[in-house]
Amino acid sequence: MNEVKAVFPGSFDPITNGHLDVLRRATRLFPVVTIAVLHNARKQGKHLFTLEERLEMLSEITADMPGVRVESFGGLLVDYMRTSGSSVIVRGLRAVSDYEYELQIAHLNRQMYPQAETIFIMAATRWSYVSSSMVRELASYGADISKMVPEASARALYRKFAEQYPGQQ
C-alpha cells in the first residue's frame, strides 16, 4: 500500500498555535505531513518574515514531530503536489467565512488535479480567534502573545519588531 502524503500549505507568517493544533491532528491521520510554505514572488516584501526565516522557524517548531517535513514551493499548489507525489491537502477552518473561501479553492484544486483531496480540520475552539495577522499586530505593540504562538514564533516576532521599531519594546 502506498503511503498517503498530505500537504499543509500556507504562508505561516508566523505559525500560530492554531496552525500547530491542526498540524498535530493531521499527523494522527497521515504518516507524512509536509508543511508547504508558499513563496509568492508577487507578494515579495508583503510578508513580515522572509521565506528563509519562516522555514527556519517552522523547522525549529516541528523538530520533535516525526513525519513532519518543512518545504517551500512557488507557483500552484497542485503543481507542487504532482511533483511531490502528494494527494491530500490539509486546511484548518476557524469560521464559516473560512469555509466559503476554502471550498472554492478545494474545487479549483480538484479541477486542476483530480487526485487532490482536501481535508478540513476545524480549529480547536481555544484557537478559533487566532490569526497570523492579528498576532503580528499585537506583537507590533509589544502585547503578550505567548499563549497564541509557539515560543519560537514569539521570539521571532519580538525580535522583528524590535528591529523595525527600536525602543518600542
Side-chain angles (χ1 to χ4, degrees):
M1 182 176 196
N2 287 342
E3 180 178 87
V4 176
K5 294 181 184 176
V7 177
F8 184 25
S11 58
F12 303 102
D13 189 37
I15 190 169
T16 67
N17 284 341
H19 290 128
L20 207 50
D21 175 60
V22 169
L23 176 63
R24 283 189 179 112
R25 290 162 56 203
T27 63
R28 294 195 309 250
L29 301 172
F30 305 101
V32 176
V33 179
T34 300
I35 298 176
V37 183
L38 175 62
H39 171 66
N40 187 340
R42 290 185 299 235
K43 288 191 174 184
Q44 196 84 10
K46 293 186 181 180
H47 293 293
L48 178 61
F49 294 101
T50 66
L51 177 64
E52 292 75 22
E53 288 170 326
R54 288 180 281 151
L55 291 170
E56 185 177 313
M57 203 180 327
L58 287 162
S59 293
E60 178 183 341
I61 291 164
T62 62
D64 65 343
M65 297 177 75
V68 173
R69 299 179 184 143
V70 177
E71 295 182 1
S72 67
F73 74 100
L76 296 174
L77 174 60
V78 291
D79 291 338
Y80 169 79
M81 292 180 70
R82 273 188 198 98
T83 60
S84 68
S86 302
S87 60
V88 174
I89 302 166
V90 174
R91 298 298 294 166
L93 298 176
R94 293 173 297 170
V96 171
S97 56
D98 287 348
Y99 176 74
E100 292 170 356
Y101 172 78
E102 292 292 345
L103 181 64
Q104 290 177 337
I105 300 300
H107 286 310
L108 283 170
N109 286 334
R110 181 80 185 240
Q111 187 69 31
M112 292 184 292
Y113 185 52
Q115 294 85 347
E117 290 291 348
T118 301
I119 303 295
F120 297 117
I121 297 179
M122 297 301 301
T125 304
R126 68 178 181 253
W127 307 124
S128 63
Y129 67 93
V130 177
S131 70
S132 294
S133 58
M134 287 182 189
V135 168
R136 287 192 307 268
E137 183 166 354
L138 289 169
S140 76
Y141 290 102
D144 180 7
I145 55 167
S146 62
K147 290 181 174 57
M148 294 178 242
V149 296
E151 185 180 328
S153 291
R155 278 194 320 269
L157 280 159
Y158 292 137
R159 188 171 46 246
K160 183 68 75 169
F161 285 114
E163 292 169 8
Q164 289 187 350
Y165 307 107
Q168 184 176 348
Q169 305 310 338

